Amino acid sequence: MPNGAFCCNGRTYRAPQRPTLAICVDGTAPAYLEDALARQLMPNLAGALDGGAEMLIARAQVPTVTNVNNMSIVTGVSAAVHGISGNHYLAPDGHETQLTDPSALRAETILAAAARAGIGVLAVSAKDKLRALLGAGGVPSISAERAHEQTVGGLDGMMGTEIVGRGNPGIYDPALSAYALDLALAIAPRVRARLVYCSLTDFVQHKAPPGHELVDGYCVALDERVGWALADGWIVGMVADHGMNAKTTMDGSPNVRYLADILDAAGVVGARVLLPITDPYVVHHGALGSIAFVYVSSSEIARAGAALAGVSGIEAVLHRAPAARVFELPEDRIGDLVVCADAATVLGLRATQHDLTGVRNGLRSHGGLHEQDVPLVVCHPLLRGDSRELRNADLFDLLLNFTA
Ligand SMILES: [Zn+2]
């Protein structure tokens, strides 16, 4: 292996030739960047593209939710290998559990493998829910959400907010993503990190379509920070964990199919519906996304599958084994049925179980098959002759192995 190179999950990565920043632009469907570029709101990104960089389209892992795809990006492999099948899953003990504990991760992260090879690494997330997973394998990790009470080794106990020099915005503040990048760029040189992952939050994308002033502010702030990093000699790349689509009816209300109610009406006994998008941040999406897992006994599965497949807005109902194969998911961490909605529909439990207060004025969400296309930009010309289909899990490969 070349000097400083390291292996992770079957791929070899070169050591960073320069400080390298991989950004997860959470929930940023390609249209967000395309629109901002067309209206000249991102001059640094535009400059990189003029200089030979490319805006590529990559595929995200299904379920197209945050934890699953952040883990694909940082491990370089599918959920079948890394084991994170949702933000949330049904644990073997029968309890629904957030998939946020590093013990749930079945593959090493690229950051952890780099650290083992002696490379300084750092993981920053906007949302604290991701911090522990990104910190798997001893990777120094900190979140913007809790930066007032978190630090990493090498900062002499100073909190993240002290390093940035200003207080951190709240979890529902559109400025939190920019703050996460500020945290990454401020801490990295102090702790000699040369490989840095920074995962943003999709609050803005949940609340607004491309072209909205909230989005414009987000894109301008993102571009500014990309510009600062490039000016400081960083290699910079970004990819989204998933896209984002409007999920509303003609009158603007959330377009929901309540699966437990549908199964009850069909006389299915003992079924349990689990929504992999479920996380603590209900204002984003009200726990409503375009995929669901249904747990149901073998005697009821045919009736359940038929009832769900006949519902408008549901476009696929797969049994466990084919779903695991097609979507590259861990078979033991998905439902007996995997239910996929169309682009404009979300799936819920029962009408009585969802608080729609936070999404009454329009629901934008993700989780399903129609949020798989994501933008992938490496801000430098790529030394790449092949035209393989890219995944968001290829970001580190392109950053480390295909830049000059
Ligand atoms: Zn996300």
Side-chain angles (χ1 to χ4, degrees), residues 169-333:
I171 189 68
Y172 299 128
D173 186 322
L176 189 66
S177 287
Y179 194 92
L181 284 164
D182 290 343
L183 202 52
L185 291 172
I187 293 176
R190 290 183 182 241
V191 301
R192 299 201 160 95
R194 285 179 68 78
L195 187 59
V196 177
Y197 181 65
C198 183
S199 188
L200 310 184
T201 164
D202 57 6
F203 176 68
V204 165
Q205 291 80 352
H206 272 292
K207 291 299 146 198
H212 188 282
E213 61 179 5
L214 270 181
V215 175
D216 288 356
Y218 171 97
C219 289
V220 166
L222 168 63
D223 187 70
E224 238 173 11
R225 283 147 184 86
V226 167
W228 296 340
L230 291 173
D232 270 354
W234 287 73
I235 299 273
V236 181
M238 65 182 82
V239 76
D241 51 351
H242 52 78
M244 188 74 68
N245 282 305
K247 311 281 185 183
T248 44
T249 59
M250 297 294 273
D251 69 4
S253 61
N255 188 19
V256 196
R257 303 293 176 273
Y258 293 104
L259 301 193
D261 290 339
I262 292 166
L263 293 168
D264 281 352
V268 175
V269 179
R272 178 167 187 168
V273 180
L274 182 134
L275 306 175
I277 198 172
T278 308
D279 74 6
Y281 310 118
V282 291
V283 177
H284 288 60
H285 47 60
L288 295 164
S290 293
I291 198 164
F293 296 158
V294 176
Y295 294 84
V296 59
S297 65
S298 53
S299 59
E300 295 289 296
I301 197 165
R303 191 203 306 264
L308 295 168
V311 173
S312 71
I314 291 179
E315 62 180 17
V317 180
L318 282 79
H319 285 239
R320 181 190 297 263
R325 198 166 56 242
V326 172
F327 299 135
E328 298 179 80
L329 289 165
E331 222 180 288
D332 61 325
R333 288 182 175 173

Side-chain angles (χ1 to χ4, degrees), residues 26-27 65-66 127 202 241-242 366:
D26 195 327
V65 299
T66 298
K127 301 170 180 174
D202 57 6
D241 51 351
H242 52 78
H366 53 92

Side-chain angles (χ1 to χ4, degrees), residues 338-354:
V338 174
V339 185
C340 303
D342 67 18
T345 305
V346 286
L347 305 175
L349 306 173
R350 295 175 196 283
T352 51
Q353 283 176 292
H354 289 269

